[in-house]
Amino acid sequence: RKEVEQDPGPFNVPEGATVAFNCTYSNSASQSFFWYRQDCRKEPKLLMSVYSSGNEDGRFTAQLNRASQYISLLIRDSKLSDSATYLCVVNRYKAGGSYIPTFGRGTSLIVHP
Amino acid sequence: DGGITQSPKYLFRKEGQNVTLSCEQNLNHDAMYWYRQDPGQGLRLIYYSQIVNDFQKGDIAEGYSVSREKKESFPLTVTSAQKNPTAFYLCASTEASRNGYTFGSGTRLTVV
């Protein structure tokens, strides 16, 4: 089983739609969770951190479910500019006391007019 | 402005050659990371360094080497032992892992 798993998609949605992505992680000792956005042939950029209580930033809502070991990202009122690949990042615990950022392979979102 | 600079943006290597990718940051971050990304794939960790003069192997370190002689710099050498080096290489850094990671704009390496 991979450390961090995401559905690669693509998710193809019309403008204005609500879309949700999930990401599962295998190491229960993981701490700190993030969603990154990556545009084609560009570097990933931090979209938002994911907190235990859930958090919202405008049209974006992130949730963490530690019991089931997954995080989610909800995008409301999708815009054409939201088209990108969304990467889930988990700080995986490594023996010796360090946490290593581990990436899912990403979920592709295409928003069409 | 603070950030991470990777150079060159594009790099072409002949088979059997070693090449070095540069990563410099002026964010005063302690930890730095090198990732490799292949088309349609996620980022895979090559090496990381959490403090000057110390670094650790990631998940795919074979055929790569690094150094961390200065806090600002974390160069990656792709050696001739790396059998499939063509990829997009990304460098990242963080002040504290709970705050997330900042990436450079990447280097595209192609073997010709």
Side-chain angles (χ1 to χ4, degrees):
Chain A
R1 182 182 175 188
K2 291 186 178 178
E3 296 278 353
V4 180
E5 293 201 69
Q6 294 182 253
D7 180 347
F11 285 62
N12 202 321
V13 303
E15 274 186 288
T18 295
V19 61
F21 311 135
N22 282 343
C23 166
T24 59
Y25 59 95
S26 61
N27 189 330
S28 60
S30 298
Q31 290 190 3
S32 302
F33 306 86
F34 310 92
W35 283 102
Y36 275 71
R37 170 191 170 128
Q38 186 176 26
D39 293 292
C40 188
R41 300 179 69 81
K42 299 285 190 181
E43 74 274 22
K45 293 188 178 177
L46 180 63
L47 180 66
M48 58 197 303
S49 301
V50 187
Y51 302 121
S52 297
S53 55
N55 48 300
E56 188 174 305
D57 183 1
R59 297 181 294 109
F60 300 85
T61 300
Q63 299 274 357
L64 167 64
N65 185 318
R66 283 195 180 272
S68 299
Q69 295 182 202
Y70 75 86
I71 66 172
S72 64
L73 177 68
L74 181 78
I75 304 176
R76 289 181 299 278
D77 189 23
S78 298
K79 311 291 185 190
L80 295 176
S81 57
D82 292 334
S83 297
T85 297
Y86 291 84
L87 303 172
C88 165
V89 185
V90 172
N91 277 354
R92 162 175 60 106
Y93 179 76
K94 188 168 182 180
S98 58
Y99 286 87
I100 307 303
T102 304
F103 286 73
R105 62 176 291 187
T107 297
S108 175
L109 172 65
I110 301 170
V111 182
H112 59 82
Chain B
D1 285 337
I4 300 180
T5 301
Q6 289 187 243
S7 62
K9 193 173 180 68
Y10 298 95
L11 185 58
F12 297 89
R13 189 195 94 170
K14 292 182 180 179
E15 287 198 25
Q17 280 184 338
N18 292 355
V19 291
T20 297
L21 282 57
S22 171
C23 178
E24 303 277 334
Q25 54 100 357
N26 60 2
L27 299 165
N28 201 34
H29 287 174
D30 284 314
M32 298 186 74
Y33 307 83
W34 273 106
Y35 288 91
R36 167 186 173 135
Q37 187 175 36
D38 294 281
Q41 301 298 315
L43 279 66
R44 292 185 291 166
L45 183 64
I46 303 172
Y47 268 98
Y48 64 102
S49 167
Q50 296 187 311
I51 198 167
V52 176
N53 292 321
D54 186 54
F55 50 82
Q56 306 293 330
K57 291 183 179 180
D59 301 316
I60 56 164
E62 186 176 350
Y64 300 98
S65 66
V66 293
S67 63
R68 187 85 187 277
E69 297 174 3
K70 298 186 300 182
K71 188 175 186 177
E72 301 80 18
S73 178
F74 191 39
L76 173 74
T77 296
V78 184
T79 74
S80 57
Q82 170 49 238
K83 298 305 178 189
N84 186 20
T86 295
F88 186 38
Y89 290 86
L90 288 157
C91 179
S93 72
T94 188
E95 178 184 24
S97 60
R98 63 183 179 276
N99 295 340
Y101 304 86
T102 302
F103 281 85
S105 57
T107 293
R108 292 196 179 275
L109 173 63
T110 303
V111 174
V112 295

